[in-house]
Amino acid sequence: MIENYFSADDILEFRIWMRYADRFVVISHMAPDGDAIGSSLAMCRYLKSHGKEAVVIVPDPAPDFLMWLPGADDIIVFGSAPDKAEKLVYKADVVCCLDFNVVKRIDNIASSFLYTKAKKIMIDHHPYPGATFDVTLSHPEASSTSELIFHLICALGDFSRIDREMAECIYTGMMTDTGAFTYNSNNASLFRVVSRLIDMGIDKDVIYRRVYSNYSEDRMRLQGYVLNEKMQVFPEMSTAIITLTQDELDRFHARKGDTEGFVNLPLQIKGISLSIFMREDRELGKIRLSFRSVGSVPCNILASDWFHGGGHVNASGAQYDGTLEEVIARFHEAMKAWKKSDSESIKQLFRKKQKR
């Protein structure tokens, strides 16, 4: 039996707005990943199946390897069409907020989002949701927001409305947010959902190749450069870091999404429990950080306490105002407290709030 995450009150609240609202806007976070795009497109397609006006808006473009998803061509990028996007947000009856739980994650959409009179419904799987939403459907125990969309549709009694295209979007979100089911996925219910999606006609092998085997030659050479020149390993701390400057990214003609997955590479090294990827984003004027860990090592606490980020125990992110050199120095500051190389010492370090 497939687990139902939602209470009767949750379903009643959503059902009311489904009945009386006509115009829906689905928004997700900046630097949208597979779960953000997959869940948003699935939700949009579901709303349209009920005859609703629905559109997906994101702050900036999705990576090329996600643009094959059904409906991706209709996504509105706020940064490219701010006037059009603002009008849609202001006119909406309901704004569905997917795969984020604090307003700062939607960047340039935030102003119109805060001022719209639309009902704001948040559906997300990250911990510690903010208080900006009218309805909060938060389930950090779920593998992904895409999985939550599947459960929500089923709880609304609309399983039959999930077609192959919607199933492809949901599966892509689940797959990418679990590293192709290599973390945050040891759950039998999750694979029962996957089984139902396969029954609907998706080809999981084709989806995997479209996402993970669709790189350019430049991207492959960038990965080789990263592993040979830019990865630093600290075995005494069970940690590795990768750093990239904007100039280095430009040298390899890096496109959006080309660095996806780099943070996972050091975790293939025996004894490495924590990996951090730091890259310069000249356009944003910040340093983007990705954190991954294995087992009970809580990389989200490191992201939160030292870099003002957050996320899940084994997968987190942050944006830091400063230079790459400053971020690296801050990393070393955190590492000074590590006395042993076992993961328990790492856990104890990150559980202690550091004084700045």
Side-chain angles (χ1 to χ4, degrees), residues 99-296:
D99 204 38
F100 71 95
N101 60 13
V102 289
V103 175
K104 69 178 182 179
R105 293 285 287 133
I106 55 174
D107 196 36
N108 49 18
I109 306 177
S111 179
S112 51
F113 170 78
L114 290 171
Y115 284 102
T116 182
K117 294 180 180 179
K119 190 81 168 181
K120 302 174 178 71
I121 300 177
M122 184 267 281
I123 306 170
D124 182 56
H125 72 127
H126 296 92
Y128 317 120
T132 316
F133 311 95
D134 299 305
V135 178
T136 297
L137 305 181
S138 176
H139 292 276
E141 68 274 23
S143 70
S144 57
T145 300
S146 295
E147 183 191 358
L148 289 178
I149 296 302
F150 177 89
H151 288 297
L152 177 62
I153 294 172
C154 292
L156 288 165
D158 280 337
F159 174 77
S160 62
R161 290 183 181 271
I162 303 178
D163 58 13
R164 181 178 59 81
E165 289 77 11
M166 201 184 303
E168 286 178 336
C169 295
I170 291 170
Y171 180 83
T172 299
M174 293 171 60
M175 178 187 73
T176 54
D177 234 36
T178 58
F181 304 102
T182 60
Y183 55 81
N184 196 30
S185 59
N186 193 33
N187 184 316
S189 179
L190 170 69
F191 288 96
R192 284 191 281 270
V193 173
V194 171
S195 177
R196 299 304 294 270
L197 296 175
I198 292 173
D199 288 340
M200 292 169 193
I202 71 164
D203 189 326
K204 72 175 189 62
D205 299 333
V206 168
I207 292 174
Y208 180 92
R209 290 196 297 272
R210 283 177 170 174
V211 173
Y212 294 114
S213 301
N214 197 22
Y215 298 132
S216 66
E217 178 185 344
D218 283 331
R219 194 272 184 191
M220 293 301 290
R221 294 189 182 281
L222 174 61
Q223 179 172 314
Y225 173 72
V226 160
L227 292 174
N228 192 51
E229 303 290 339
K230 300 299 296 184
M231 182 176 67
Q232 294 178 271
V233 179
F234 304 91
E236 71 281 6
M237 295 178 289
S238 304
T239 298
I241 66 171
I242 294 171
T243 62
L244 278 175
T245 67
Q246 187 66 58
D247 287 341
E248 289 170 321
L249 290 165
D250 292 343
R251 171 184 163 190
F252 288 92
H253 311 106
R255 299 177 299 174
K256 190 173 183 64
D258 274 357
T259 59
E260 190 84 14
F262 282 2
V263 67
N264 297 311
L265 297 174
L267 294 178
Q268 299 176 37
I269 301 173
K270 183 178 180 180
I272 297 301
S273 301
L274 173 66
S275 173
I276 307 170
F277 175 45
M278 315 168 186
R279 70 175 176 88
E280 187 179 24
D281 188 325
R282 188 178 295 149
E283 182 179 351
L284 187 65
K286 297 182 180 181
I287 306 301
R288 291 187 183 271
L289 298 98
S290 297
F291 304 79
R292 295 292 185 273
S293 63
V294 295
S296 56

Side-chain angles (χ1 to χ4, degrees), residues 85-99:
E86 278 192 348
K87 287 178 182 178
L88 288 167
V89 174
Y90 286 136
K91 289 181 179 179
D93 300 314
V94 175
V95 176
C96 297
C97 310
L98 303 190
D99 204 38

Side-chain angles (χ1 to χ4, degrees), residues 301-320:
I301 297 179
L302 173 64
S304 173
D305 286 0
W306 288 88
F307 300 99
H308 312 297
H312 303 286
V313 171
N314 296 130
S316 299
Q319 292 183 3
Y320 192 82

